[in-house]
Amino acid sequence: MKTIDDTRQIYNAQAEQWTRDEPILLSDYSARPFLLELCEPISGSSILDLGCGEGYVARELMKRGAKQAHGIDISEKMIDAANHQQSQFPRKGLSFAVGDLRQKIPIDKGAHDLVVAVFLFNYLTLEETQQTMQNAFTSLKSGGRLIFAVPHPALPFLKKDQFPFYFESAGGYFSGRDQRFPGEIWRRDRVPVRVQCVHKTIEDYFHCLKQAGFRLLPDVHELKITNDHVELDPEFFEPLLDLPLHLAFQIEKQ
Ligand SMILES: C[S@@+](CC[C@H](N)C(=O)[O-])C[C@H]1O[C@@H](n2cnc3c(N)ncnc32)[C@H](O)[C@@H]1O
């Protein structure tokens, strides 16, 4: 599968559309505020941000009191954008590096209180997802947590290809496993951004976590549009009312 090369190209080509210091993308409203709350308490924490993009989540976690955060991303342009922001408004303890999480990357065993992966696993195959979760497990302290979000596996089968968020399914819910579904997610200023989803079922995520070494039950949330979103911008959010948009997982290492 060409997913990773495509991913790098996609993000190198659209790093500018992602660069932000306040919510602009649909998922900055529908997912990231929830995930940031889920990460609490993080005061004094050491955080690893897998697939950090241009660093939005890592910066927000630092603003909330994390002691250090290190972000890794396959896209050089996204990391350039993250480093640029860091040079403009330096934050002690925040760093970024280019890296392909499919490859062997140096892992500091038991070093982190929290590993986050915000919309990363939808770019990885099942095997790569399991391996990356295993790396996350290894890098966590005992009692540390992995928090991640992915597109809701049901969404491509419930919603047609249109504004403001969709994935084009290739195959059915089960036969489409490990297939790459192209999609788009819009910014509030109506600029579309290309995204992808290597489809997995709900069962797949649980299985990957178990294979990676996690033994406790994950805390799982199905994220959706709320009435507050609709009040803010009806035209933008209303088409998504009542649909399952994202899945958020939180799981602790024993
Ligand atoms: C949807 S973006 C999310 C970025 C960031 N986590 C956020 O929430 O703003 C997904 C990111 O995963 C990165 N990515 C995908 N595959 C990767 C891989 N194999 N290794 C490292 N990063 C990867 C992409 O380059 C992209 O920046």
Side-chain angles (χ1 to χ4, degrees), residues 4 7 11 18 20 32 51-53 56-57 73-75 78 99-102 118-120 123-124:
I4 293 303
T7 302
Y11 283 95
W18 278 86
R20 64 216 195 273
R32 288 181 188 83
C52 63
Y56 180 80
V57 173
D73 201 281
I74 195 172
S75 158
M78 293 291 260
D100 181 350
L101 295 162
R102 290 183 318 165
V118 179
F119 300 114
L120 164 73
Y123 291 90
L124 305 184

Side-chain angles (χ1 to χ4, degrees), residues 204-217:
D204 289 335
Y205 289 110
F206 281 82
H207 185 72
C208 285
L209 287 169
K210 192 173 169 193
Q211 291 297 112
F214 290 98
R215 289 292 170 263
L216 297 175
L217 260 186

Side-chain angles (χ1 to χ4, degrees), residues 37 47 69 113 130 143 173 191 201 225 243 252:
E37 276 305 306
I47 297 169
D113 302 291
Q130 189 183 304
Y173 183 77
V191 173
T201 65
I225 291 305
L243 288 169
E252 190 182 317

Side-chain angles (χ1 to χ4, degrees), residues 15-252:
E16 255 174 49
Q17 275 106 298
W18 278 86
T19 304
R20 64 216 195 273
D21 217 15
E22 55 184 30
I24 54 168
L25 280 155
L26 169 72
S27 49
D28 291 338
Y29 296 88
S30 54
R32 288 181 188 83
F34 180 88
L35 293 168
L36 292 169
E37 276 305 306
L38 201 58
C39 289
E40 295 286 0
I42 48 163
S43 181
S45 298
S46 166
I47 297 169
L48 184 60
D49 185 354
L50 302 176
C52 63
E54 54 72 61
Y56 180 80
V57 173
R59 280 193 301 277
E60 291 299 314
L61 292 172
M62 291 299 287
K63 283 183 204 164
R64 286 171 174 249
K67 186 174 161 208
Q68 55 187 54
H70 181 64
I72 302 175
D73 201 281
I74 195 172
S75 158
E76 299 88 346
K77 297 276 189 215
M78 293 291 260
I79 293 296
D80 284 351
N83 283 331
H84 179 71
Q85 295 237 22
Q86 174 65 351
S87 67
Q88 299 283 299
F89 309 101
R91 271 179 198 279
K92 195 164 171 270
L94 179 59
S95 60
F96 299 99
V98 175
D100 181 350
L101 295 162
R102 290 183 318 165
Q103 310 293 334
K104 263 204 177 320
I105 52 161
I107 301 170
D108 294 333
K109 286 189 186 161
H112 299 289
D113 302 291
L114 178 66
V115 175
V116 292
V118 179
F119 300 114
L120 164 73
F121 295 129
N122 44 298
Y123 291 90
L124 305 184
T125 63
L126 267 172
E127 200 185 329
E128 291 158 2
T129 296
Q130 189 183 304
Q131 184 56 51
T132 307
M133 286 182 179
Q134 203 169 310
N135 290 341
F137 182 85
T138 306
S139 74
L140 281 171
K141 294 176 183 170
S142 166
R145 295 170 296 153
L146 167 65
I147 291 183
F148 68 92
V150 290
H152 197 294
L155 184 75
F157 307 97
L158 295 176
K159 176 142 191 337
K160 292 204 185 75
D161 324 351
Q162 50 183 274
F163 175 87
F165 181 33
Y166 72 86
F167 288 103
E168 207 180 299
S169 62
Y173 183 77
F174 293 108
S175 60
R177 262 182 174 153
D178 248 358
Q179 297 300 310
R180 184 165 35 122
F181 297 179
E184 280 178 302
I185 188 163
W186 268 256
R187 304 182 349 169
R188 277 251 345 258
D189 58 7
R190 279 43 173 180
V191 173
V193 175
R194 280 178 66 201
V195 288
Q196 295 200 344
C197 182
V198 181
H199 176 63
K200 294 161 200 76
T201 65
I202 293 179
E203 176 185 298
D204 289 335
Y205 289 110
F206 281 82
H207 185 72
C208 285
L209 287 169
K210 192 173 169 193
Q211 291 297 112
F214 290 98
R215 289 292 170 263
L216 297 175
L217 260 186
D219 181 22
V220 182
H221 303 265
E222 297 181 288
L223 306 186
K224 56 184 179 296
I225 291 305
T226 64
N227 290 335
D228 287 346
H229 293 128
V230 177
E231 248 172 59
L232 181 69
D233 188 342
E235 192 201 348
F236 188 66
F237 290 110
E238 215 152 37
L240 295 172
L241 256 185
D242 218 16
L243 288 169
L245 299 187
H246 322 285
L247 272 186
F249 284 76
Q250 167 177 229
I251 193 160
E252 190 182 317

